[in-house]
Structure formats: structure tokens, C-alpha cells
Amino acid sequence: MEYLNVSTASATGNPRNKTALKPGRSLMDWIKLTNSSTNLSGNGNRLRDISLDELAQHKNKNDAWLAIRGMVYNVSSYFEFHPGGEEELMRGVGIDATDLFDQVHKWVNYESMLKKCLVGRLRTDSMLPPVKRPQSKLAVGKDLSMPPPFPSLSASSAGMVTTDWMQNLTTVTIVLYTRQKGLDARRISTSIDGNDFHTRIYSDDWLRCFDYQIRLAEDVHPFCKPTVSLTTGKVELVLHKKQIALHWQKLGDLEEVIQGFQPLGQAPPFFRRSVLTRKSRVNHNVFLCTLTFPTGQNFHVPVGWHVQLKLCLEDGTEVIRSYTPITSTLSSCETTDCPSISESPTALHFLIKIYANGPFTSALDRLSEGSSSIEVSNPIGNFVGSQLEGKNLVAIAAGTGITPLIRVAIDVLRNNRRVSLLFFNRTQDDIIWKEEFRELELKYPNKFKLWHVLSEPDDEWPGLRGRISKSVLATTILSEEYHDVGSNFACVCGPSDFTLETLRLLDSAGYTQETVHAFSG
């Protein structure tokens, strides 16, 4: 699942100043405009690289470009729709506006809001250039009793990452000085595949990352446990030598890297090998698939985030689709860890609908358990779990749009808050995990409420009928018992038409941009 987050919550928790918008200039009107055939980028949808000098030339209201996290947008059409007013938007025109954006509403999914305004990428050579790290820095191993001096935190090096390494008889330790306070082990993923070692470190807000990839000079065991200093951001990655007492002459051959943290959307893709270890039928066209990873793969998928699955077809063509991993069962709400730390080996679970004419899912349908044809990317997303702190969850899903909401709902239940789920399907046979959700409702009678709505029910269906509408909402999530906008946070996922109509109805019911997150199906 890709993400369409309409939340604009302030990073400080304070509501932002808003100006009165003209009729026809609401959020819903902007979404309709971006879903039309109108070309808002002004470049004929041909993306290109933009330098800082070129960006600075587009600084007028009628020709307004700005950059956010390495992507350049033409916002000339957005002025009348901007809730903060034209003057506020003009502050970021012609420059890299990332810092200004983060000061006000860094949780907004600008990628979806401005997708039709995208001009291209801000050239990396105008920010942090990719360089080949000098091998001389990595050529001589050091004894662990002689730690390197901590690098100076000068202003000129802010945001940069410096590296070092050292060894003893049994281990090699790679040291990364990130200067990112607040890091924890969940923000560090590692991959050991033969002699290929890769690590990705996410910033404390998950919006930026640093990649480090090297072909090691000697063999190591496929195990790495990061240690992190919360106060300094120093990361130590300890690798265990296969040949004990062998003195390494060099660490290895480093891949081309960016010198510091970069926007997550600009980071190169990284895929892990996996094995399809389970494919069990959930209903007539949905399977629960488990992908298991070899030893040496350690990563964390945040709640509300997704991964990309890559599959090579028989003709050699590679196809990639996005899916949100789920918990393997609803019977326990003890954890939303993904992968689960209680599972060994490391595995991810997915609910995948098979489409007869879909190149990816039809190929997946032909795979048998034990196949090693699927690769899995590092996690991708922008859902911020802290948006739900102290909130009850209103979840509205259609079909397989339930998948990103499963871990979100479990997370809310674990924090002793209420979940109200409105689940739309075509027929009873299309309902995913019907009995499992029923068991969850029985387990949490005062915290979990579920309504099923069918658009093509049989005569014996006792539940709600129809499609997303004001009347359906009025008898469910907007009824007196459940309608408390001040205490609720809404999450929506389904086909684009379903999502747009749901957002419109929630807007009319008093939900704001600060209290809604929509996942794009």
C-alpha cells in the first residue's frame, strides 16, 4: 500500500493558524483537482533534475517552485487551497523549504497532496554529493583497546556521518558516528548476505536515512547486533569472524554512498532475499502468505508502513508491488512488532488478493511453498504512530484495504483505547478474517466494535447493506455512542473513489486534517 496522509498535525501539538478559504478551495476540492487530468507541474509530466540555482528562479506566485526532502514541486496552483494562507506558502518558494515545512506540519503527506505538482528531484550535487569513501580510512585494522577519538561536532559537519572500524581476535566492529540523538535499535536495519554487508539507519523522525554498504574483505557469520548511544548517535555494528585470529588488512570495498542522511524518498532501493514458507487460503481469492528470511537479516517495519515485493516473471521481467505486512493472527494483541521478535527465523506475513489478470499476483499464485523467487524491500511509509496517542481509532476499510489498519488497530487496543471498525465488502465470501475479527470483538467487548457492510449481500444477510454513504456513517461511527471527533483519529483505506468519498463525508462530519490519515489502496 502506498500512502495518502491528509493529517497536518503540528509537530509541537499546537493547531496551525488557518485562513478562510474561498468556496471551492477546500481540501476535498484540491484532491479532486489532483485526481483530474489537469497538468499542475507545468512540465508535461516529464521529471528532471533541478539545481538550487534553477529552483531559485521560480520564486513568484505565478511561477512558484519549492523543494521538500529532495523533491521539487510547482505550487503555483496551490496558493488558494493552502490553509495557512498565501503569505505563509510564499516563505518557502524558490528554496529548499524542508525546514520551514517541518516547523509547521512535518507529518503531512506532501507526496500525495502535491503528486501532480512534481517537477523533479533536487540535484544531489547541490546538497550532499555521493562520494567514494577513501580506502585509506579503512585500510588498517585497530585493536579494540584503542577506540578512535569522537569526531568534532562542528557546524560544517552537522548531518554528516563519519565511519571507522576496529578488530580483535574474534570480531570486527564498524563504527558509524551519526550525531542523531534519540536513535534506537529499531531504526537500524542490517543485512549480511555472504560477504555483502548493508545497513540502513533511519533518523529519529523516520523521514531520512543513511545507507552503508560494503563488500567485506573476509568471511563473517551471518549475525550482527547493533548497539546505539541514545545521547550521541554512535552506532556500533559487531561482526563475528569466521576465521578466528585472522588479522584483516582492510575492512573491504565500500560501495558509493551519500555522505550523510538523505530524504527517505531519495534513498536507493534495497531488497532482501526471502522464501515463501506459507501460502494458506483465507477466502476464495485472498491468501495469507509468509515470507521467511535467511539468518543475517534484521529490520523493523513501523506500524502503518509497507514494503515492496519484487518477483521475476518467466520472461525475465521484474514486477514490484507494495504490500503492508500484518500480524500472523488476531488472537493475540500482545505485540505489533514486525517482524515479530518471538518468531524465529525472521518472517513477514501478508494478506494478498489474487487477480487473474494481475502479472504479480497471478505469478505468485503459481508459486509453491519453498519458492525463493520473492525479494522484499526495506520499509517505506510516513504514518506517525504518535498521532494516535490518547486517541480512539475509527477505522474505515474496503476489501484488502483492511491490511494497513490491522496493526494500527492492535496498537490502539494494546494502549487501552477503543477501536471502531467499519468494514466494506461486496459479498460475505469476500470478507477477510471474518471469524478472527468476531473473536477479537468477543475478546474486547467494550473496546472493539465492528460493522460489516456489503454492497451485494444475499437475502439472508442480517447486517448493513450498501456503499459508503452519509446514512451508513450515521448509524455506525457517527452515531451518538461513537461520534466523538475530539477523542477520535480516523484511518481510511480502500480504492481511490472509496477513499475520496469517505474523506468528504468525514470532513462534513467535523473531522479535520489533523485527525485523519488515509492510506491509498
Side-chain angles (χ1 to χ4, degrees):
M1 296 288 174
E2 294 180 355
Y3 293 79
L4 173 68
N5 177 5
V6 297
S7 168
T8 56
S10 167
T12 62
N14 296 321
R16 29 181 271 214
N17 295 324
K18 296 184 178 180
T19 60
L21 298 175
K22 299 177 182 178
R25 296 296 184 269
S26 68
L27 172 63
M28 294 299 105
D29 294 309
W30 175 254
I31 293 176
K32 289 177 183 178
L33 179 61
T34 60
N35 280 276
S36 69
S37 59
T38 306
N39 178 17
L40 302 177
S41 66
N43 66 349
N45 295 321
R46 293 187 297 273
L47 302 184
R48 58 192 183 84
D49 291 341
I50 310 296
S51 68
L52 282 172
D53 289 340
E54 182 178 2
L55 174 64
Q57 297 174 18
H58 300 269
K59 56 183 180 181
N60 301 311
K61 178 181 176 181
N62 296 325
D63 181 20
W65 292 7
L66 57 76
I68 304 176
R69 296 190 230 294
M71 308 306 289
V72 178
Y73 300 92
N74 183 347
V75 295
S76 306
S77 303
Y78 187 58
F79 278 94
E80 293 185 346
F81 296 86
H82 186 239
E86 296 182 4
E87 182 177 347
E88 186 70 14
L89 185 58
M90 278 298 298
R91 293 176 60 203
V93 168
I95 63 172
D96 184 343
T98 302
D99 289 341
L100 288 173
F101 178 85
D102 286 346
Q103 290 172 16
V104 182
H105 40 213
K106 69 177 181 180
W107 291 334
V108 174
N109 186 350
Y110 60 91
E111 293 172 314
S112 292
M113 298 275 298
L114 302 176
K115 60 185 176 181
K116 286 294 185 68
C117 303
L118 182 60
V119 179
R121 292 178 181 267
L122 189 61
R123 276 220 322 256
T124 55
D125 60 4
S126 62
M127 299 182 297
L128 293 174
V131 296
K132 196 80 169 183
R133 292 214 186 276
Q135 185 61 46
S136 59
K137 290 187 177 180
L138 306 173
V140 181
K142 302 175 183 177
D143 190 274
L144 280 174
S145 62
M146 298 290 291
F150 193 82
S152 169
L153 300 183
S154 64
S156 62
S157 64
M160 309 296 283
V161 178
T162 55
T163 68
D164 210 327
W165 75 285
M166 45 199 168
Q167 63 178 306
N168 62 18
L169 292 177
T170 60
T171 65
V172 170
T173 301
I174 300 173
V175 185
L176 305 175
Y177 299 98
T178 71
R179 305 176 178 87
Q180 297 287 315
K181 295 183 179 180
L183 286 184
D184 57 41
R186 285 190 170 192
R187 288 173 170 78
I188 301 172
S189 67
T190 58
S191 170
I192 303 175
D193 190 351
N195 285 65
D196 292 323
F197 177 77
H198 174 275
T199 186
R200 170 168 290 180
I201 303 175
Y202 294 88
S203 59
D204 60 345
D205 56 9
W206 292 93
L207 298 176
R208 296 168 296 130
C209 66
F210 170 76
D211 286 320
Y212 180 91
Q213 187 165 350
I214 190 169
R215 178 75 174 174
L216 297 170
E218 305 292 345
D219 295 334
V220 296
H221 292 286
F223 174 78
C224 175
K225 184 176 182 179
T227 59
V228 188
S229 169
L230 294 175
T231 57
T232 65
K234 177 185 176 183
V235 177
E236 293 186 334
L237 306 166
V238 180
L239 307 175
H240 297 265
K241 297 178 179 180
K242 279 192 174 181
Q243 189 171 346
I244 294 176
L246 175 65
H247 184 79
W248 290 23
Q249 297 302 313
K250 66 175 185 177
L251 181 59
D253 297 316
L254 195 64
E255 299 292 329
E256 192 171 34
V257 295
I258 296 293
Q259 290 177 313
F261 282 76
Q262 61 180 324
L264 188 58
Q266 286 188 271
F270 178 79
F271 286 86
R272 293 175 165 82
R273 294 182 295 111
S274 70
V275 177
L276 178 63
T277 52
R278 178 172 63 166
K279 188 174 73 171
S280 58
R281 187 177 293 276
V282 175
N283 64 21
H284 66 99
N285 61 2
V286 174
F287 286 85
L288 175 61
C289 297
T290 298
L291 298 179
T292 301
F293 299 86
T295 304
Q297 306 300 313
N298 296 286
F299 58 96
H300 170 71
V301 183
V303 171
W305 284 41
H306 62 284
V307 297
Q308 292 181 325
L309 305 185
K310 181 167 67 175
L311 186 60
C312 185
L313 304 182
E314 294 176 354
D315 62 0
T317 304
E318 289 185 342
V319 288
I320 298 176
R321 296 291 183 270
S322 296
Y323 291 95
T324 304
I326 61 168
T327 54
S328 60
T329 177
L330 288 178
S331 61
S332 173
C333 290
E334 294 179 0
T335 180
T336 55
D337 287 335
C338 187
S340 173
I341 58 176
S342 64
E343 287 185 328
S344 181
T346 299
L348 291 179
H349 310 280
F350 302 89
L351 288 170
I352 298 180
K353 181 177 180 179
I354 303 298
Y355 296 90
N357 297 321
F360 183 92
T361 58
S362 58
L364 176 66
D365 193 30
R366 294 191 293 269
L367 295 181
S368 57
E369 292 181 356
S371 170
S372 57
S373 303
I374 303 175
E375 296 182 20
V376 183
S377 76
N378 270 330
I380 305 167
N382 61 10
F383 182 79
V384 181
S386 58
Q387 297 173 103
L388 283 165
E389 290 180 359
K391 296 284 187 178
N392 296 318
L393 173 66
V394 171
I396 307 174
T400 52
I402 190 65
T403 55
L405 304 184
I406 290 175
R407 290 178 64 211
V408 176
I410 291 176
D411 194 51
V412 171
L413 290 173
R414 287 180 61 244
N415 286 284
N416 203 32
R417 305 297 294 181
R418 188 175 68 192
V419 174
S420 305
L421 172 60
L422 188 57
F423 194 9
F424 290 80
N425 284 279
R426 191 169 60 89
T427 69
Q428 287 196 63
D429 292 338
D430 295 313
I431 299 176
I432 297 171
W433 274 359
K434 181 180 178 181
E435 293 303 320
E436 287 81 352
F437 278 115
R438 176 58 178 160
E439 292 176 5
L440 194 64
E441 194 172 21
L442 293 173
K443 184 176 182 179
Y444 296 96
N446 299 319
K447 295 181 184 177
F448 184 72
K449 175 61 179 176
L450 170 65
W451 298 275
H452 287 293
V453 185
L454 300 183
S455 59
E456 299 179 16
D458 56 32
D459 293 338
E460 298 179 355
W461 173 247
L464 296 170
R465 301 163 180 251
R467 302 179 184 276
I468 184 72
S469 65
K470 182 177 180 180
S471 60
V472 169
L473 297 190
T475 59
T476 55
I477 64 167
L478 298 184
S479 62
E480 184 176 352
E481 182 178 357
Y482 298 96
H483 185 39
D484 183 0
V485 173
S487 299
N488 291 343
F489 188 91
C491 288
V492 183
C493 189
S496 57
D497 289 346
F498 171 89
T499 298
L500 286 173
E501 179 62 12
T502 304
L503 292 175
R504 186 187 68 80
L505 293 169
L506 291 175
D507 184 59
S508 299
Y511 280 84
T512 67
Q513 297 181 23
E514 288 83 3
T515 56
V516 177
H517 183 110
F519 302 86
S520 175

